[in-house]
Amino acid sequence: MNSLKGYFLIGLALLSQIGSAQVSDELTLYRKDFKNISGKNTVSVTSYEKEGTHYVFAGGAGNIDVYSLNKEGQLNPISNHELYKKKGPARGMVADNINGTDFLFVANKHGNVIETFKILDSGSLKRVSLVEDTEETHLGTAITLQVVHMKQSSFLFVGGLENTPGLSCFKIEDDGKLTHVQSMKDDENIHTDGIIGMFIHQIKGKTFLYTGGFQDNGVSSFRVYENGTFKNINNISDNTTDRYLTGAYPVTGVTLGNNKYIVVGHRHHKYYDATTNFIKRKDFTYHGDGVSVFKVNKKGALVPHFVLKDDENTKLSGQTRIEVVSTNATEAVLAVGTRDDASIQLVKLNEEGILSPINYLETGFSIYYGLRSHRIDNQDFLIAGSNQFDMNKVVSYTISPKINREGQVLRHIVNLKYKADATKEQVNEAEMAFENLKNEISEIQSLEWGINDSEEGASKGFTHTFTLTFSNEHGREIYLFHKAHLDLVSKIGPIIEDVLVMDYWTTIE
């Protein structure tokens, strides 16, 4: 009986693994909500759970916006907070608990400071510390922050894009203030010129930090000691054949079984204006776009392992953020945000360190650094924003099994009620502007509209209906955040009293 029971349990485990793999292969993104921000753009996004409430922090130029996030993915604005000197944008934001107190650490990119905010019980922020750049600390144009917890103390590592780049470490005091520990100046060996991604792994009680060097075109590993000091372990550079590290950008990591991996994306230097002097090394080689996987050996060093190459079935052009969505014993699901493809690509990493694509969603906006994964009650979410100054939104998505929409189209119905004082000329102008969207946004398959002719008395004052047809979810997302649509909303908003929007899928006849 015990033997049979054992075989039965093994069978259940195998079925569970098979089912998990099948589900992950069909995951995709579904937008749940979007809200306006007070900052000029949404460059960075992070999240945090405090006493059972889930918070989202959206950082842009000038401001940080705070929202609560519920289990349906709805965002509720709480407060907004001005950055030092109204600068920014807020980059590298990370929230953590330091000896019982919750803090949000923010790299104020063009303010050349690191700001520490205490997270209050309401989710609002109170600034408690400000550390300015010096010739020693490499905080100018700060972009990336990484909290490292050691046995006795916690430390904040800082990287950025300044003219004299390097990596710096600060001890985090109980009140949120930062005390400088060590700074390492960039040189020809280490990759710390343009740190836009960092991650830590623990290996047999030892702590290792991994950085990407955007300008250096490579990645580096460092050993971190109990007192916060650190030393370089090894460095991997781009090459002219099979490396995909030109413009190394996001860096994250995963542990699967006995294997530890570092996953690195890049926004290739070819995507930047060649006439400027922003890109320091002009002799780069373009051999495509790809996400690189490195295996971490027992000494904490990086070993090149695998590259998922971009093709016609993936959206990996201009990777700027990689978030780990979920992990189990045998695989991890990651989300890759892209600036040039303006998409979020889901990928799967198996225990052998092989990346494979799942599904993607064309978001309709470029992602720069603003992408964050968050889980509530076993439901995975992604919160995204854009560096675009004309969007001013933060968006939430669920990650759920893909629904089969083969043979269907999407109808998007917009019903409008104009204000009583809206003039005929204003209404006519709004009609023409809405109708012209089909000429501005190619993803609109068809658009028709009309004025209400119902005599049943149930129209509730709505006078105009616009019906837009899209062939898939991507078209709707592109339309929603397209500049032409955003301009229309801004233009006709003052004369609109109410709006009712409904979407439905229907089979093509």
Side-chain angles (χ1 to χ4, degrees), residues 54 56 67-71 73-75 374 376 381 383 396:
H54 300 263
V56 169
Y67 308 83
S68 63
L69 178 72
N70 67 19
K71 61 182 180 181
Q74 302 299 308
L75 293 158
H374 192 85
I376 303 176
F381 294 93
I383 304 99
S396 66

Side-chain angles (χ1 to χ4, degrees), residues 302-317:
L302 294 168
V303 180
H305 184 71
F306 180 80
V307 176
L308 173 62
K309 299 177 183 179
D310 192 30
D311 60 27
E312 65 275 6
N313 298 313
T314 57
K315 295 289 182 180
L316 297 175
S317 177

Side-chain angles (χ1 to χ4, degrees), residues 32 105 188 233 301 454:
K32 302 302 294 184
F105 303 96
E188 289 301 313
I233 301 298
S454 174

Side-chain angles (χ1 to χ4, degrees), residues 247-311:
Y249 216 109
V251 176
T252 191
V254 176
T255 299
L256 293 173
N258 296 320
N259 299 319
K260 293 184 181 295
Y261 298 104
I262 290 294
V263 183
V264 181
H266 70 127
R267 187 171 191 241
H268 203 283
H269 288 170
K270 82 162 202 146
Y271 296 119
Y272 292 84
D273 187 350
T275 63
T276 71
N277 293 320
F278 176 64
I279 301 300
K280 296 180 180 179
R281 300 171 185 246
K282 308 294 185 182
D283 58 343
F284 59 81
T285 299
Y286 178 67
H287 37 71
D289 292 283
V291 180
S292 300
V293 179
F294 296 86
K295 200 168 186 178
V296 180
N297 69 19
K298 294 179 180 179
K299 295 182 179 180
L302 294 168
V303 180
H305 184 71
F306 180 80
V307 176
L308 173 62
K309 299 177 183 179
D310 192 30
D311 60 27

Side-chain angles (χ1 to χ4, degrees), residues 8-9 44 82 90 93 96 148 184 226 250 254 263 270 285 293 300 360 362 377 437 441 447 449 479 498 507:
F8 176 71
L9 292 174
S44 297
E82 189 175 283
M93 297 193 303
D96 214 321
V148 178
M184 183 179 290
E226 185 62 36
V254 176
V263 183
K270 82 162 202 146
T285 299
V293 179
Y360 62 80
E362 295 181 66
D377 295 343
L437 286 179
I441 306 173
L447 186 154
W449 69 277
Y479 149 82
D498 201 1
T507 303

Side-chain angles (χ1 to χ4, degrees), residues 29 249-250 265-268 271-272 289-291 310 314-323 335-347 359-371 382 384-388 397:
L29 291 87
Y249 216 109
H266 70 127
R267 187 171 191 241
H268 203 283
Y271 296 119
Y272 292 84
D289 292 283
V291 180
D310 192 30
T314 57
K315 295 289 182 180
L316 297 175
S317 177
Q319 309 139 41
T320 53
R321 191 70 178 169
I322 301 178
E323 284 287 301
V336 183
T338 56
R339 181 170 181 177
D340 297 275
D341 270 339
S343 301
I344 299 174
Q345 170 80 56
L346 296 179
V347 297
N359 289 305
Y360 62 80
L361 178 68
E362 295 181 66
T363 57
F365 56 88
S366 59
I367 294 172
Y368 195 50
Y369 200 85
L371 185 67
L382 282 172
S386 177
N387 61 305
Q388 296 172 204
Y397 304 89

